Amino acid sequence: MIRIQENVQLKTFNTFGIRANARHFVSLNASDDLFELQQTDLFKNEPRLILGGGSNVLLTHDFNGLVIHNNLKGIKPTHETDETITLKVASGEVWHPFVMHCVQHNWGGVENLSLIPGTMGAAPMQNIGAYGVEVQEVIDQVEGIELLNGSARVFSKSDCRFGYRESIFKQELKEKFFISSVTLTLTKKNHLLRTGYGAIQDTLREMDVTESTIQAISEAVIHIRSKKLPDPAVIGNAGSFFKNPTITQQHYTSLKSTWPGIPGYPVENQIVKVPAAWLIEQCGWKGKRVGDAGVHQHQPLVIVNHDRATGEEILSLAMKVRGSVQEKFDITLTPEVNII
Ligand code: FAD
Ligand code: EPU
């Protein structure tokens, strides 16, 4: 049974901690709730915003419509062999406890993605990634409902059109499709251990780990992230505000002659990925603050809300940062965060 509330404060529903009101707000707690909601006039007539953990959104104004808060729970094994297990996970399951559940059962594939905030349903949305792994590697299919007509759809991995922080759900299906479950296959043995990301190897050494396991990798990732990234419970943020940009090899070579220290990683033929954090730091933004909006002192790719910044103030700072990078390096930063 759904309960639609009016004029709800969203501060605790977004990790930036932005104070914004939703004209209407509903939590989905059971799979029938969405069906019930779809029968209401409110659903048919108002703009809609789906919210999971609110850890990748920036609310720049009150939302004059219906916020649909996803709280659908359940983890169901659907197939198992000696080697693998396949799980169908409801989209409101919180990501990190799910990862811990897998690590405890010795199911491999998501350990490098430990401590990422948010829900299962948002994971395919931007194909979450960290420490050399993207969630698309373990996803089999994504199921959900088209909001316009209520029809159920199943997306195979290739239908999802995953890319770096991208998918079909973040493009043409944005706010048109409710992801209700994600099906993932994990390994039970012969795990593919990914320790290639420099900081993981160093941390495993510090931990005196001689033989890597998924448990040790998860622990190392949690350790690195806790040191590097601000905890939204302490200071409002949504992780990386921008994506790391890619430029042509020619552009990179020309920048290298002026900035010999510029880091860059070849991603495909003649294309180089440059860390946005480095570009932002060179522009002098690291640790800077404009009112209550700030650039984090240890990780300049993270824009923070020191206390009472509005969404517009956060956005305005982000656009200044973007302008500096454009001017100095002729590189356009694209927001990773979903700006509402
Ligand atoms: P929300 O912020 O609630 O929503 C994000 C977008 O997805 C919105 O457009 C929303 O409408 C849509 N959406 C949400 N649920 C659904 C659904 N069920 N169906 C359809 N659309 C939906 N991301 C990474 O990739 N890697 C990282 O390492 C990482 N680190 C982070 C660290 C910190 C400290 C923080 C605060 C964020 C970090 N993020 C990272 C970003 C964020 O955690 C992820 O993008 C996460 O998947 C967002 O989940 P959410 O449930 O909070 O999504
Ligand atoms: N750097 C600086 N100054 C700094 C910090 C970093 O110059 O103060 C440069 C260094 O060259 C460093 C590089 O930036 O080597 C990369 O930094 P880091 O390893 O912290 O990672 P990132 O590229 O900034 C990305 C993801 C994170 C993910 C980490 C780990 C994006 C947009 N961000 O950050 O994801 O956790 O790698 O894999 O791809 C997120 O998406 O919200 C997010 C946090």
Side-chain angles (χ1 to χ4, degrees):
M1 179 82 181
I2 57 167
R3 185 167 75 93
I4 299 178
Q5 296 170 264
E6 240 178 278
N7 201 24
V8 170
Q9 172 56 255
L10 296 175
K11 183 177 183 299
T12 56
F13 292 98
N14 73 102
T15 61
F16 258 122
I18 300 294
R19 292 162 172 84
N21 277 336
R23 184 166 170 201
H24 291 107
F25 181 97
V26 65
S27 275
L28 302 182
N29 298 306
S31 50
D32 288 347
D33 286 357
L34 182 60
F35 180 71
E36 190 185 335
L37 181 65
Q38 281 171 318
Q39 316 307 314
T40 64
D41 287 343
L42 231 155
F43 179 86
K44 289 173 192 153
N45 298 329
E46 289 202 350
R48 297 170 289 244
L49 171 64
I50 302 164
L51 265 192
S55 64
N56 209 22
V57 291
L58 176 64
L59 302 165
T60 57
H61 50 77
D62 287 338
F63 190 71
N64 193 15
L66 174 66
V67 168
I68 304 169
H69 178 236
N70 179 17
N71 199 27
L72 300 181
K73 304 286 189 204
I75 302 177
K76 203 171 72 186
T78 56
H79 186 67
E80 192 166 359
T81 66
D82 283 350
E83 306 270 324
T84 63
I85 181 156
T86 301
L87 304 170
K88 183 172 174 175
V89 185
S91 56
E93 284 287 342
V94 181
W95 177 260
H96 178 65
F98 168 74
V99 172
M100 291 296 95
H101 178 76
C102 296
V103 168
Q104 276 151 18
H105 283 82
N106 199 34
W107 297 334
V110 287
E111 56 281 357
N112 294 54
L113 304 176
S114 296
L115 215 60
I116 297 181
T119 53
M120 177 58 74
M125 172 83 184
Q126 75 155 10
N127 180 23
I128 54 169
Y131 299 96
V133 172
E134 289 182 336
V135 73
Q136 64 157 321
E137 292 167 42
V138 291
I139 289 183
D140 292 333
Q141 63 180 44
V142 173
E143 283 180 55
I145 310 276
E146 275 197 47
L147 294 181
L148 205 59
N149 55 21
S151 59
R153 281 183 74 180
V154 181
F155 287 80
S156 68
K157 185 197 290 220
S158 66
D159 294 337
C160 294
R161 292 200 225 136
F162 289 124
Y164 164 61
R165 299 295 192 273
E166 275 304 343
S167 74
I168 192 169
F169 312 109
K170 199 172 175 179
Q171 294 295 332
E172 56 256 54
L173 290 181
K174 192 163 183 181
E175 302 303 340
K176 295 196 178 98
F177 187 71
F178 177 82
I179 295 172
S180 54
S181 72
V182 180
T183 302
L184 319 90
T185 293
L186 303 158
T187 50
K188 286 169 60 182
K189 54 184 176 189
N190 303 324
H191 305 302
L192 182 59
L193 301 174
R194 253 77 60 89
T195 56
Y197 214 91
I200 295 189
Q201 280 172 353
D202 296 344
T203 310
L204 289 173
R205 256 193 304 275
E206 279 167 33
M207 287 161 51
D208 288 331
V209 171
T210 45
E211 203 187 323
S212 298
T213 58
I214 58 177
Q215 291 76 14
I217 292 173
S218 168
E219 226 180 283
V221 167
I222 290 172
H223 181 76
I224 301 163
R225 293 182 67 99
S226 310
K227 273 202 303 192
K228 265 193 170 177
L229 288 163
D231 177 356
V234 179
I235 183 162
N237 76 88
S240 303
F241 195 91
F242 299 103
K243 297 186 197 179
N244 284 324
T246 48
I247 58 176
T248 62
Q249 178 65 49
Q250 197 184 9
H251 188 176
Y252 182 70
T253 308
S254 123
L255 288 173
K256 191 109 182 144
S257 60
T258 320
W259 309 90
I262 186 171
Y265 310 94
V267 282
E268 53 188 277
N269 193 20
Q270 299 296 308
I271 300 291
V272 180
K273 189 180 268 187
V274 181
W278 187 89
L279 300 169
I280 297 170
E281 182 168 353
Q282 300 309 307
C283 293
W285 282 108
K286 191 167 175 170
K288 284 277 161 64
R289 183 169 173 164
V290 179
D292 269 353
V295 176
H296 193 250
Q297 53 182 345
H298 301 311
Q299 191 10 308
L301 188 46
V302 179
I303 309 271
V304 296
N305 176 10
H306 284 286
D307 186 12
R308 297 189 70 92
T310 63
E312 277 175 327
E313 285 164 349
I314 298 281
L315 184 60
S316 159
L317 174 62
M319 291 305 113
K320 283 192 184 113
V321 167
R322 187 182 196 232
S324 306
V325 169
Q326 182 77 51
E327 201 178 317
K328 199 170 191 124
F329 299 104
D330 192 22
I331 294 179
T332 307
L333 295 182
T334 310
E336 181 202 287
V337 170
N338 299 278
I339 296 160
I340 312 294

